[in-house]
């Protein structure tokens, strides 16, 4: 199995899981696969936890020859794995050691038990669309899997977000901010501000205001095949642009353009774990 290479990214908040995490990594290597671990997780395991990882490679950048990315943590870790992977086409398997874990397929015990399934990539492949963002002075990655958020600075007054789709005006959102979420991200920040849950395969985005000044401004679902423009104004001087938790401060008056990214993310899930089962488990719909 020397042609298999697993790139592992994980949260360093793993004190209760380090032994099993090491067991997972070593099990893959023992089966003949190549294993590359992101430098921060590698250093945490080998330096902070004093564990040995024989035959395991320490890497900074995502390996070009990786056949699968493994994200160990919660949904936040999964999003950071997407950013690390950038536009590499390798699928991502989420191993949950966090809380809700909407994006993760299995927990750590299951990963160790089902090591043969990981080696055979015996999972359903879900293709998740992403958001591509264009804005002046935007730092870091210009894409998001879950959502793009424009929000006021912490101590400033509310902002006005003029939203248009394909150059046709939608609304002016006078609010603390606006969430533009993909179906994948509909169960994240969008859900917490009152937005709808969207089936992952739906070709749509949802626009959900944060603490809107007007009671008539409600979450809005739009097709994802257009160009969304957000012009942000206000009485302060700057606003926050947040892509999957990665923040940039931009001057008010900046225009933010959002499109669907050409590349999708392949998320691996168990064959028996579909959307309805996931929301039933995580949100206790059937309780």
């Amino acid at each position: 199995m020397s042609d298999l290479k697993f790139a592992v990214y994980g949260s360093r908040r793993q004190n209760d899981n380090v032994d099993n995490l090491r067991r997972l990594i070593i099990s893959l290597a023992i089966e003949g696969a190549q294993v590359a671990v992101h430098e921060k997780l590698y250093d945490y395991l080998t330096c902070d936890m004093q564990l040995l990882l024989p035959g395991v490679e320490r890497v900074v950048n995502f390996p070009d020859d990786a056949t699968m990315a493994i994200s160990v943590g919660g949904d936040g870790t999964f999003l950071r794995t997407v950013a690390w992977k950038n536009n590499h086409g390798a699928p991502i398997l989420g191993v949950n050691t966090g809380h809700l874990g909407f994006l993760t397929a299995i927990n750590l015990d299951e990963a160790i038990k089902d090591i043969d399934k990981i080696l055979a990539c015996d999972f359903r492949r879900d293709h998740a669309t992403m958001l591509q963002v264009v804005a002046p002075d935007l730092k870091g990655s210009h894409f998001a899997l879950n959502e793009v958020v424009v929000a006021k600075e912490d101590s400033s007054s509310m902002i006005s977000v003029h939203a248009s789709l394909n150059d046709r005006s939608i609304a002016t959102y006078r609010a603390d901010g606006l969430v533009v979420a993909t179906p994948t991200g509909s169960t994240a920040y969008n859900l917490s501000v009152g937005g709808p849950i969207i089936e992952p395969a739906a070709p749509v985005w949802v626009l959900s205001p944060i603490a809107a000044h007007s009671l008539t401004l409600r979450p809005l679902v739009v097709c994802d095949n257009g160009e969304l423009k957000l012009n942000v104004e206000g009485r302060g001087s700057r606003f926050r642009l947040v892509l999957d938790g990665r923040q940039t401060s931009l001057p008010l008056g900046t225009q933010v353009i959002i499109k669907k990214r050409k590349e999708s993310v392949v998320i691996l899930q168990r064959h028996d774990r579909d959307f309805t089962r996931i929301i039933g488990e995580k949100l206790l719909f059937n309780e």
Side-chain angles (χ1 to χ4, degrees), residues 69-99:
I70 299 179
S71 174
V72 184
D75 286 346
T77 302
F78 193 99
L79 295 176
R80 290 189 290 274
T81 306
V82 172
W84 181 47
K85 190 176 75 72
N86 201 345
N87 62 353
H88 194 288
I92 305 179
L93 175 67
V95 178
N96 188 29
T97 60
H99 299 290

Side-chain angles (χ1 to χ4, degrees), residues 20-261:
N20 278 341
L21 179 51
R22 178 187 180 275
R23 185 179 172 190
L24 171 63
I25 293 170
I26 295 300
S27 295
L28 293 170
I30 288 175
E31 292 294 332
Q34 301 175 64
V35 183
V37 178
H38 185 270
E39 59 171 349
K40 292 183 179 180
L41 179 60
Y42 186 97
D43 292 346
Y44 165 74
L45 293 174
T46 58
C47 298
D48 296 353
M49 296 291 106
Q50 299 292 303
L51 300 177
L52 297 177
L53 297 177
V56 176
E57 181 183 2
R58 177 184 184 272
V59 296
V60 177
N61 299 317
F62 191 85
D64 291 335
D65 56 346
T67 51
M68 182 191 295
I70 299 179
S71 174
V72 184
D75 286 346
T77 302
F78 193 99
L79 295 176
R80 290 189 290 274
T81 306
V82 172
W84 181 47
K85 190 176 75 72
N86 201 345
N87 62 353
H88 194 288
I92 305 179
L93 175 67
V95 178
N96 188 29
T97 60
H99 299 290
L100 281 177
F102 279 102
L103 298 174
T104 55
I106 53 179
N107 61 41
L108 193 51
D109 290 335
E110 291 172 327
I112 295 170
K113 179 182 176 182
D114 297 332
I115 196 74
D116 290 342
K117 288 186 178 181
I118 297 176
L119 292 165
C121 197
D122 184 16
F123 297 92
R124 188 182 73 248
R125 300 166 69 95
D126 292 346
H127 293 261
T129 60
M130 301 185 71
L131 302 169
Q132 182 74 45
V133 182
V134 177
D137 302 320
L138 177 58
K139 300 176 182 178
S141 302
H142 292 205
F143 58 86
L145 172 62
N146 265 4
E147 76 269 314
V148 173
V149 180
V150 293
K152 69 173 188 175
E153 292 281 16
D154 291 338
S155 59
S156 64
S157 58
M158 68 179 181
I159 55 177
S160 295
V161 184
H162 306 285
S164 63
L165 184 64
N166 297 328
D167 293 323
R168 299 183 66 177
S169 178
I170 296 175
T172 297
Y173 295 89
R174 294 180 178 86
D176 285 354
L178 179 69
V179 178
V180 180
T182 65
T184 302
S186 68
T187 52
Y189 198 177
N190 167 73
L191 184 61
S192 71
V193 298
I197 298 173
I198 299 175
E199 201 277 329
V204 297
W205 301 326
V206 57
L207 282 64
S208 297
I210 305 169
H213 186 64
S214 171
L215 294 177
T216 61
L217 285 175
R218 298 298 182 182
L220 176 67
V221 178
V222 299
C223 291
D224 68 358
N225 59 358
E227 180 179 83
L228 180 66
K229 293 181 180 177
L230 307 177
N231 290 280
V232 188
E233 299 176 352
R235 289 186 289 181
S237 59
R238 305 185 72 83
F239 71 97
R240 289 184 293 124
L241 176 63
V242 188
L243 283 65
D244 283 349
R246 307 184 303 275
Q247 299 191 30
T248 301
S249 178
L250 297 176
L252 286 168
T254 298
Q255 183 181 78
V256 178
I257 300 175
I258 301 173
K259 301 178 181 179
K260 182 166 71 173
R261 198 182 193 209

Side-chain angles (χ1 to χ4, degrees), residues 96 99-102 104 273 277-285:
N96 188 29
H99 299 290
L100 281 177
F102 279 102
T104 55
R273 194 169 183 264
R277 180 171 177 178
I278 291 171
I279 60 172
E281 291 175 352
K282 302 300 182 181
L283 299 179
L284 307 178
F285 272 22

